[in-house]
Amino acid sequence: MILKLNKQQIRTALEEAYDHYKDNTEGKNADYIPFLAGVPSRLFGIAACLPDGELIAVGDTDYAFGIESVSKVPTALLAMHQYGAETVLRQIGADATGLPFNSIMAILLENDHPSTPLVNAGAIAACSMIRPTGASDAKWKAITEFIEALTGSRIAVIDELYRSESETNFNNRAIAWLLRNYGRIYDDPELSLDLYTRQCSLGVTARQLAVMAATIASGGVNPITHLKVFDAALTPKITALMATVGFYEHTGDWLYATGLPAKSGVGGGILAVVPGVMGLAAFAPPLDEAGNSVKAQKALAQIADRLSLGLFNTTHGIVTEAERSLVEA
Ligand code: GLN
């Protein structure tokens, strides 16, 4: 996509979205993971990371919150990085379930074909695929090092969140074993479930998610460290998955509103990718009934609208080589 934007326009769009929604009190913190119920509901931050590594941040963008399902994005990417996009398609799939993120029904209905690494079942399967098979510590190291390469910074598990999730993840345990029943998990189910639970308990800031989104937007090159994290051919694959199922049963509503591939988590975070242009992230704990942050969705939708970021827009036209600087200083 070719978009000509200057940094001041982007900053203004973020500030206006922040001001517009900061006092919105719709939605409710997740409480099925007890730790999340206690996160201050008023926290709200929005960040953008540009291809030159510049970060534009408004509000609570340094607060480390539970990454939750946004972690499904890096692990899906890592599985593609290790095995190739075709193998991940064959072993997990790329179809939306149209059902909630933790649906057992979806597994029963789709027992003869896989779904997507961006719902719980597929994410647990993706964790099971991560090499080296059978080695929990080495798999965990691979996952966290990959996320750190994407964000260009250190990340750590929020221990209390990990405990809280581990004590209450009975539904996910059922999913892991059901996958085992259908031959759709590729390592020990308990080990795979624990890796998934741990990755969901990682603390990240909106700034870190914006850098992760920008690394994806830039075809795998982290705009801050300049390190190549994954092959550029994987950006259209992971963004296709995000566009298909990033907000679960509300994904169509989101895509209709914004035209952007994005992924939410029940910690209140959303990561959105504008391929070739920038990475965006927003964070606010209260969720809608599908488990997507209300304020983060509204803020990002307003920004996408103001800056005409939607991938399906026709307004950008064809530009000459000379106009190809995507974001000007
Ligand atoms: N850890 C959470 C779960 O498995 C993540 C869900 C989410 O963010 N949608 O239920």
Side-chain angles (χ1 to χ4, degrees):
M1 175 164 63
I2 304 300
L3 255 187
K4 287 180 77 84
L5 293 170
N6 66 48
K7 287 179 180 170
Q8 190 49 48
Q9 282 173 294
I10 300 170
R11 173 170 294 285
T12 303
L14 262 64
E15 286 171 353
E16 283 179 2
Y18 180 82
D19 287 340
H20 198 242
Y21 293 111
K22 67 178 188 310
D23 296 321
N24 181 303
T25 56
E26 289 167 67
K28 192 169 150 301
N29 282 35
D31 58 7
Y32 75 100
I33 298 168
F35 175 90
L36 296 177
V39 177
S41 299
R42 277 197 64 84
L43 288 166
F44 183 33
I46 314 170
C49 180
L50 308 184
D52 64 1
E54 180 159 339
L55 265 162
I56 299 174
V58 191
D60 302 308
T61 52
D62 288 317
Y63 184 91
F65 56 89
I67 187 172
E68 296 299 342
S69 283
V70 182
S71 69
K72 290 166 175 156
V73 171
T75 306
L77 259 175
L78 178 57
M80 292 182 200
H81 179 66
Q82 290 188 342
Y83 291 82
E86 282 310 308
T87 303
V88 172
L89 179 68
R90 200 171 54 249
Q91 297 204 7
I92 303 178
D95 274 334
T97 62
L99 289 165
F101 59 83
N102 54 3
S103 175
I104 288 188
M105 183 102 72
I107 305 170
L108 298 173
L109 292 171
E110 298 172 7
N111 65 65
D112 59 338
H113 71 281
S115 64
T116 165
L118 300 192
V119 299
N120 290 19
I124 297 169
C127 286
S128 79
M129 284 179 74
I130 300 305
R131 291 185 171 127
T133 306
S136 178
D137 289 350
K139 282 169 86 107
W140 176 243
K141 190 162 176 280
I143 291 171
T144 49
E145 283 180 356
F146 193 70
I147 296 178
E148 290 185 338
L150 290 168
T151 62
S153 51
R154 302 306 301 266
I155 44 154
V157 165
I158 303 173
D159 290 326
E160 210 186 319
L161 174 56
Y162 176 47
R163 257 197 313 280
S164 186
E165 292 217 33
S166 299
E167 284 164 2
T168 53
N169 64 352
F170 310 116
N171 189 86
N172 286 342
R173 175 156 292 134
I175 288 176
W177 283 100
L178 205 51
L179 291 174
R180 173 76 183 75
N181 185 54
Y182 291 122
R184 286 173 47 193
I185 195 159
Y186 309 100
D187 203 336
D188 178 74
E190 292 292 334
L191 178 156
S192 308
L193 172 70
D194 179 59
L195 282 173
Y196 168 75
T197 309
R198 253 194 283 175
Q199 74 171 31
C200 285
S201 308
L202 284 166
V204 284
T205 67
R207 283 172 187 265
Q208 287 177 310
L209 284 190
V211 180
M212 185 189 291
T215 304
I216 297 171
S218 307
V221 179
N222 183 311
I224 293 184
T225 62
H226 305 292
L227 293 175
K228 179 99 182 143
V229 185
F230 63 84
D231 193 276
L234 298 183
T235 285
K237 301 301 179 200
I238 193 70
T239 48
L241 293 177
M242 291 162 74
T244 309
V245 77
F247 292 75
Y248 311 112
E249 66 273 37
H250 287 186
T251 306
D253 295 332
W254 166 264
L255 201 59
Y256 192 89
T258 65
L260 285 183
K263 181 75 203 82
S264 69
V266 291
I270 295 180
L271 166 153
V273 178
V274 195
V277 179
M278 71 172 109
L280 286 164
F283 158 62
L287 310 177
D288 66 18
E289 60 289 355
N292 307 313
S293 168
V294 175
K295 264 152 76 163
Q297 285 184 88
K298 287 183 187 289
L300 291 173
Q302 179 171 315
I303 293 164
D305 181 57
R306 293 285 154 85
L307 301 177
S308 299
L309 298 179
L311 300 193
F312 307 116
N313 293 352
T314 57
T315 47
H316 311 311
I318 296 168
V319 298
T320 63
E321 266 314 305
E323 288 174 309
R324 275 180 189 273
S325 75
L326 301 182
V327 176
E328 295 177 327

